[in-house]
Amino acid sequence: MTAQWEHIASSRPSASPLSVRVYQGADLPKAPPLVLYLRGGAFLGSVPETDERPVARALADTGAVVVEADYSSPSHNAFPEALELAFSALSCLSSRRKTYGSAKSMLLVVGEEAGGNVAAGVALKARDLIPGELSGQILLSPMIDPRMATVSFREADRIGMRQRWSDGWSRYLSMVGNFAHPYAALCQCTRLSGLAPALVLTADNDPLRDEAIAYATRLKKAGVPVTQHSFPASSGWTGIYNDESGDWLDPLCSQFKSFVDKLKH
């Protein structure tokens, strides 16, 4: 069955309801992982899309319950509101594990590209405000560095993303001072210890490769358990930016399942 958008009450007092859609596979384990999924879109999309997201559906088919939250539309993709909406969604899932999974379901946040930035920010906020609630963070080519000056970023023109990402960063960090906020520009964050274990995925030909790997390296140095993997250029990974599936989707699910197994043990 195709996942449909629905509304749930926000955990923030007097806040508007959250718009979410729930992906489930045919067979769920007794305590399925509960995943908050934050889509990409370069901080430019503003309307919930009707088509299912390939990553969300694929993770649900592994046995997880995936809840996609629309952090973009109400916030107009601006910090800090986008982060606050995503964190509110995480808090809701944390308090309603029995509704979506079970009391023993581990809670994960997954984000791709712009959603990867927000997911990393959510992990920081969860450490600071609800320690111990988040089991893991999965960052798929996260947008980490608004300076856009890495060696790998030179490839952004090749896939037509440089101007899009530049416009997106300008929208997300529109208020003065946001460029230096550790929850918004993760390259500026100096306090990374105590975060939930991370799975960071990118590809050899990914323009966001260097900043994703640099963030994974900094997490490791801070004592955070990290699994980092780069898919080969032949996998078609950069199709993730256009909501395309590819040869990378099955290996991504394998990485996800292996990561969840590590967390269990």
Side-chain angles (χ1 to χ4, degrees), residues 2 5 12 21 24 40 91 96 116 118 136 149 153 159 163 172 175 188 197 204 210 212 219-220 237 241 247 260 262:
T2 302
W5 288 100
R12 296 185 298 167
R21 58 180 169 185
Q24 292 186 14
S91 298
R96 302 174 189 175
V118 179
F153 197 83
I159 63 171
Q163 189 61 49
Y172 190 59
M175 294 182 64
Q188 306 284 1
D204 293 342
D210 289 353
L219 289 173
K220 290 178 184 177
W237 173 261
Y241 301 129
D247 292 342
V260 170
K262 286 181 181 179

Side-chain angles (χ1 to χ4, degrees), residues 2-260:
T2 302
Q4 302 294 324
W5 288 100
E6 59 187 72
H7 296 290
I8 61 173
S10 172
S11 62
R12 296 185 298 167
S14 72
S16 300
L18 296 166
S19 184
V20 302
R21 58 180 169 185
V22 182
Y23 300 75
Q24 292 186 14
D27 298 312
L28 287 178
K30 290 183 178 180
L34 182 54
V35 174
L36 172 64
Y37 169 76
L38 305 172
R39 66 186 177 92
F43 294 122
L44 296 175
S46 59
V47 178
E49 298 184 17
T50 56
D51 292 339
E52 289 190 342
R53 310 291 288 193
V55 170
R57 171 50 60 192
L59 295 182
D61 288 340
T62 70
V65 175
V66 180
V67 179
E68 178 183 359
D70 176 25
Y71 67 90
S72 297
S73 301
S75 69
H76 305 291
N77 285 297
F79 179 85
E81 186 63 13
L83 177 63
E84 293 298 332
L85 285 165
F87 182 73
S88 179
L90 184 78
S91 298
C92 284
L93 295 185
S94 179
S95 64
R96 302 174 189 175
R97 291 178 201 244
K98 291 183 179 180
T99 301
Y100 295 99
S102 86
K104 296 182 179 180
S105 289
M106 64 176 62
L107 183 61
L108 308 167
V109 62
V110 175
E112 62 191 53
E113 193 227 28
N117 174 292
V118 179
V122 164
L124 284 164
K125 200 170 178 68
R127 176 203 60 191
D128 296 339
L129 297 183
I130 50 172
E133 290 296 300
L134 185 64
S135 299
Q137 54 179 316
I138 300 169
L139 311 178
L140 313 177
S141 289
M143 290 172 64
I144 296 294
D145 191 348
R147 294 169 297 189
M148 300 181 294
T150 63
V151 173
S152 68
F153 197 83
R154 296 172 187 168
E155 293 292 304
D157 280 334
R158 183 182 59 79
I159 63 171
M161 292 296 295
R162 179 181 291 272
Q163 189 61 49
R164 185 181 178 190
W165 281 326
S166 178
D167 292 344
W169 274 120
S170 294
R171 177 178 289 189
Y172 190 59
L173 304 178
S174 55
M175 294 182 64
V176 175
N178 284 347
F179 182 90
H181 198 294
Y183 284 0
L186 281 303
C187 63
Q188 306 284 1
C189 186
T190 58
R191 195 171 67 89
L192 298 174
S193 61
L195 287 171
L199 171 63
V200 182
L201 301 179
T202 179
D204 293 342
N205 63 334
D206 181 11
L208 301 183
R209 179 197 66 215
D210 289 353
E211 57 198 82
I213 293 176
Y215 189 61
T217 300
R218 292 175 59 224
L219 289 173
K220 290 178 184 177
K221 289 182 178 179
V224 179
V226 176
T227 301
Q228 191 275 315
H229 180 76
S230 294
F231 293 107
S234 59
S235 68
W237 173 261
T238 54
I240 197 172
Y241 301 129
N242 297 311
D243 293 328
E244 300 170 1
S245 58
D247 292 342
W248 53 270
L249 199 53
D250 286 342
L252 181 150
C253 290
S254 295
Q255 290 282 339
F256 172 78
K257 288 188 288 186
S258 177
F259 181 66
V260 170

